Amino acid sequence: MEAAVATTYRCPLCGGALELMEDGRYLWFGCWRCKIYVRREKGELAKKFVDYRRRRFMWSQMMEELYRIFMSPVG
């Protein structure tokens, strides 16, 4: 992994902080304690969450979607 950062989101199984990790192709979101992750291609996320006209990245919307995806198999 190239980078990893803890988020304010919590794992529903262990209560630990969920982390966002990046490698060359994917963003990974999940729990390092439970070893449960979801991944999405960076290109897919850029198409969905980059507003090129306004030159902004919709960070909070991306995080909400990653959390929703993470919760679907866990919750």
Side-chain angles (χ1 to χ4, degrees):
M1 294 292 150
E2 294 177 9
V5 63
T7 70
T8 58
Y9 294 95
R10 307 306 281 182
C11 177
L13 299 175
C14 73
L18 297 177
E19 64 181 359
L20 182 66
M21 299 186 307
E22 176 184 12
D23 66 18
R25 185 173 178 186
Y26 297 100
L27 283 181
W28 300 74
F29 182 77
C31 179
W32 66 272
R33 288 182 187 168
C34 297
K35 305 297 185 221
I36 300 171
Y37 289 91
V38 295
R39 73 175 186 189
R40 290 295 180 265
E41 285 192 41
K42 290 191 227 179
E44 172 190 337
L45 293 172
K47 287 177 189 175
K48 226 173 169 177
F49 298 107
V50 174
D51 183 345
Y52 290 101
R53 293 167 96 187
R54 294 185 180 152
R55 295 183 180 186
R56 69 177 197 169
F57 182 74
M58 296 177 281
W59 180 261
S60 59
Q61 291 92 333
M62 182 196 74
M63 292 302 295
E64 287 295 324
E65 180 164 317
L66 289 173
Y67 185 65
R68 181 185 54 76
I69 294 166
F70 176 81
M71 291 298 289
S72 62
V74 175

